[in-house]
Amino acid sequence: MYKIVRNSFFLAAALGFASCKNGSIFKKKPEKSDVTGWNYNDKNQGGYYVFKAKDVKTGPGLVFVQGGTFTMGATEEDVMGDWNNVPRRVTVNSFFIDKTEVANVHYREYLHWLNNVFSDPQYEAVVRGAYPDTLVWRSELAYNEPYVEFYFRHPSYNYYPVVGVTWKQAHDFCIWRTDRVNENELVNAGYQNKNVIKQEMNGGGQDNFNSKSYLMGEYEGIPGKPKKNPLLDAQGRPRTKVQFEDGIMFPDYRLPTEAEWEYAALGLILENPKPRKSEKKRGEELVANKQIYSWKNEGYDNLRATKRGTWQGAFLANFKRGNGDYMGTPGGLNDRSAIPAPVTSFFPNGFGLYNMSGNVSEWVADVYRAQTNMEADDMNPYRGNVFSKVDMSGGQGNLRDSIGRIKTVPENDSSLTERRNYQHAYAINYLDGDSLSKVYYGYGVTTLVSDKSRVIKGGSWMDMPYWLSPGARRFVEEDQSSSGLGFRCAMSHFGPTEGTSSKLQNGNFFPKKRQKR
């Protein structure tokens, strides 16, 4: 018995030595480049390290939305006569979007960070410029002063949607959220020391973590010492500076495009069979009989009841039923909310998203034009591009602005003359307000549409049902706000369009067949 144990011990030791020497018990064949034949992840052949392909993780607060084709625009008669949402088939790629609208408590967290990081008086304008306008609740002929004082600050309203926020403020919130999520990811993984957050919150000012500044080497922070570090430099030495291609950091949080928002609001995924396991069925396109609102027509086809169900007669959104009727009568309240309701109230749609119809209208990224639906690309349509580049005028090491973000400037049109896909950096008014279209907007004279007009979607607690349809669209100037207007964030998805599993792939793959010779 002793000999068996002793021999087993020596065998284990020998295997352990082989494991330490070669990196594994059985020497693994190195992955080679298909174009050069050089080894990847080999310091003796250039040290080009390639991490195994993996999908983007779902960021905090987000829900994955599988992309696809849909008919964007009106779902019923255009009773407003706007002709600004003519139906058109488009495709959006997969993306992430917030499960709920951004709530008061989330926005107060943002202000808490700003007040601590930019506590120096020189940043007073930065901090004050982020505060929501609580005066949006006021009206000359209504008593709404309690909402002015308490809606944003009182804990009773913690998880009610933040309102009084301009498009620019919502855009800046998304940048802040990107940085905080990525900073936390690096700290948790050990690539940044946890004390960097304390240093930042103690009046860090310009020297705060910004994702782009970090990736461009303009921000170092306090490097950490990760316990298990797979990151190596060209010489095979461990490195603590993370690169985006390492797959550790998240893409940017941002406002969703109008097409993304509308697609997510329809939540048509429930109508489609699950992929892969049953290829005998194909998902129905659902473009002919499209639902009017963001919830599935469960037992109701918008004309008549088709089967009995618990939802019949229930209000599935927070909206204004009619003039003077915001929540019904005592003992029989309909939507049970006179003002915005908590962000997780009412029933989620097919993607699990709350309040895509009603509660508060929401900012989206797009600049408003009435005819954009017919002009924009049919893949990821969007109006609002201003193509920019990093401002290198200050030289390396001086690329950040006063609040720590990378400075950018619009591309010079003179450098784009040889390009075929675009020739102007400023594309907001492309084919609708520029010399090519021969359309000119006399803002304040003949129209209220300008290059600062941003699309809002979804309808609010103060709107009639027409505006709750995902296809309905209006606009507000990007520097204005309202008591019925909030927002939610989105994030681009990289990887397989069907989901976030590493087992999924883009494209169809078939068994390889041997060719007859």
Side-chain angles (χ1 to χ4, degrees):
M1 181 67 182
Y2 172 76
K3 289 183 179 180
I4 295 176
V5 173
R6 185 181 61 178
N7 291 339
S8 298
F9 173 80
F10 282 119
L11 177 61
L15 289 174
F17 176 75
S19 176
C20 294
K21 184 176 180 180
N22 300 320
S24 63
I25 294 177
F26 302 101
K27 191 171 183 180
K28 188 177 180 181
K29 186 177 180 181
E31 185 180 357
K32 291 181 177 290
S33 167
D34 294 332
V35 294
T36 64
W38 283 35
N39 292 340
Y40 290 153
N41 308 328
D42 187 342
K43 66 179 181 179
N44 297 319
Q45 289 211 341
Y48 179 51
Y49 289 88
V50 179
F51 288 89
K52 183 179 179 180
K54 58 182 179 180
D55 201 10
V56 177
K57 295 179 293 184
T58 304
L62 299 176
V63 171
F64 173 75
V65 174
Q66 185 182 120
T69 183
F70 79 112
T71 300
M72 184 177 179
T75 59
E76 57 179 339
E77 184 180 353
D78 184 9
V79 297
M80 303 300 293
D82 283 345
W83 288 97
N84 71 348
N85 58 347
V86 178
R88 177 178 179 236
R89 175 79 78 91
V90 301
T91 291
V92 294
N93 208 346
S94 299
F95 60 99
F96 299 100
I97 193 168
D98 272 339
K99 180 184 292 187
T100 69
E101 297 140 340
V102 173
N104 286 324
V105 69
H106 305 140
Y107 203 85
R108 293 204 306 265
E109 180 184 356
Y110 169 45
L111 297 180
H112 170 78
W113 184 89
L114 287 175
N115 276 290
N116 282 275
V117 174
F118 297 112
S119 56
D120 191 293
Q122 66 174 310
Y123 297 112
E124 182 179 359
V126 174
V127 177
R128 297 308 309 172
Y131 275 78
D133 180 11
T134 60
L135 297 182
V136 294
W137 287 103
R138 279 184 173 166
S139 173
E140 294 93 332
L141 296 176
Y143 178 61
N144 289 333
E145 286 303 301
Y147 303 133
V148 173
E149 294 293 327
F150 302 119
Y151 179 81
F152 179 63
R153 298 175 179 85
H154 197 277
S156 295
Y157 296 116
N158 275 351
Y159 289 94
Y160 285 56
V162 64
V163 298
V165 175
T166 67
W167 184 94
K168 181 65 168 57
Q169 289 173 322
H171 173 77
D172 287 344
F173 176 92
C174 293
I175 297 175
W176 167 83
R177 186 175 175 185
T178 301
D179 296 339
R180 301 291 68 74
V181 169
N182 278 328
E183 183 179 35
N184 190 52
E185 196 74 11
L186 294 178
V187 169
N188 290 338
Y191 294 105
Q192 281 283 294
N193 189 291
K194 61 182 180 181
N195 291 325
V196 72
I197 297 178
K198 294 180 180 179
Q199 177 178 297
E200 184 177 67
M201 295 293 285
N202 192 28
Q206 182 192 38
D207 199 28
N208 67 85
F209 179 90
N210 172 261
S211 299
K212 288 184 171 58
S213 295
Y214 175 82
L215 291 171
M216 293 186 65
E218 295 290 305
Y219 171 89
E220 184 176 348
I222 307 176
K225 296 180 180 180
K227 294 180 179 179
K228 295 181 180 180
N229 185 11
L231 308 183
L232 303 174
D233 63 14
Q235 286 71 43
R237 298 170 301 196
R239 60 179 169 87
T240 57
K241 177 64 188 303
V242 173
Q243 301 171 354
F244 193 70
E245 51 266 39
D246 297 330
I248 295 173
M249 297 177 67
F250 286 92
D252 293 343
Y253 282 83
R254 55 176 174 78
L255 291 175
T257 67
E258 181 180 2
E260 288 175 335
W261 192 99
E262 188 170 328
Y263 178 84
L266 288 169
L268 300 178
I269 189 68
L270 282 186
E271 302 290 351
N272 297 322
K274 292 183 179 180
R276 303 292 183 190
K277 292 185 178 180
S278 177
E279 289 292 354
K280 294 181 180 179
K281 295 182 179 180
R282 296 287 179 180
E284 184 175 339
E285 302 293 351
L286 293 171
V287 293
N289 300 313
K290 194 167 69 169
Q291 64 204 45
I292 294 179
Y293 304 113
S294 62
W295 51 84
K296 180 184 177 183
N297 298 327
E298 187 66 45
Y300 197 77
D301 65 1
N302 299 314
L303 294 175
R304 63 194 181 280
T306 57
K307 64 180 180 180
R308 293 182 64 84
T310 57
W311 290 6
Q312 286 180 325
F315 273 57
L316 301 181
N318 181 11
F319 64 99
K320 181 179 177 180
R321 187 177 184 181
N323 290 334
D325 185 359
Y326 289 86
M327 61 177 174
T329 57
L333 299 181
N334 44 50
D335 64 29
R336 293 183 172 85
S337 186
I339 59 171
V343 294
T344 54
S345 58
F346 300 98
F347 199 79
N349 74 351
F351 288 119
L353 309 176
Y354 288 85
N355 293 300
M356 297 300 278
S357 289
N359 214 29
V360 291
S361 297
E362 299 178 18
W363 289 112
V364 296
D366 294 56
V367 167
Y368 177 86
R369 288 292 192 275
Q371 302 301 316
T372 294
N373 274 15
M374 294 181 286
E375 297 161 346
D377 291 355
D378 58 4
M379 175 66 179
N380 297 327
Y382 167 69
R383 179 183 289 278
N385 283 311
V386 179
F387 302 114
S388 60
K389 62 181 181 180
V390 176
D391 182 3
M392 301 294 295
S393 60
Q396 197 70 36
N398 190 32
L399 304 182
R400 292 185 295 171
D401 62 18
S402 61
I403 59 174
R405 299 175 185 174
I406 294 295
K407 293 180 287 188
T408 60
V409 293
E411 291 181 339
N412 195 324
D413 285 355
S414 62
S415 65
L416 305 176
T417 55
E418 300 299 322
R419 297 202 63 89
R420 301 188 66 176
N421 55 329
Y422 72 104
Q423 293 190 326
H424 298 282
Y426 190 83
I428 285 178
N429 60 0
Y430 180 65
L431 293 184
D432 199 343
D434 62 351
S435 58
L436 288 175
S437 63
K438 296 182 180 179
V439 174
Y440 300 97
Y441 288 87
Y443 177 70
V445 179
T446 60
T447 181
L448 293 177
V449 176
S450 75
D451 288 356
K452 291 185 177 182
S453 300
R454 299 284 177 171
V455 178
I456 63 172
K457 304 281 283 186
S460 74
W461 61 276
M462 61 176 69
D463 285 320
M464 296 290 197
Y466 172 82
W467 296 109
L468 273 59
S469 174
R473 59 199 304 259
R474 292 175 287 181
F475 66 91
V476 174
E477 294 294 289
E478 64 181 31
D479 54 2
Q480 297 179 359
S481 57
S482 162
S483 61
L485 180 56
F487 71 101
R488 72 181 73 211
C489 304
M491 178 187 287
S492 298
H493 172 262
F494 307 140
T497 56
E498 285 187 310
T500 57
S501 171
S502 59
K503 295 180 180 179
L504 296 174
Q505 293 178 304
N506 270 331
N508 291 328
F509 292 83
F510 302 94
K512 294 181 180 180
K513 295 183 179 180
R514 292 184 178 180
Q515 293 182 346
K516 295 181 179 180
R517 295 184 179 180

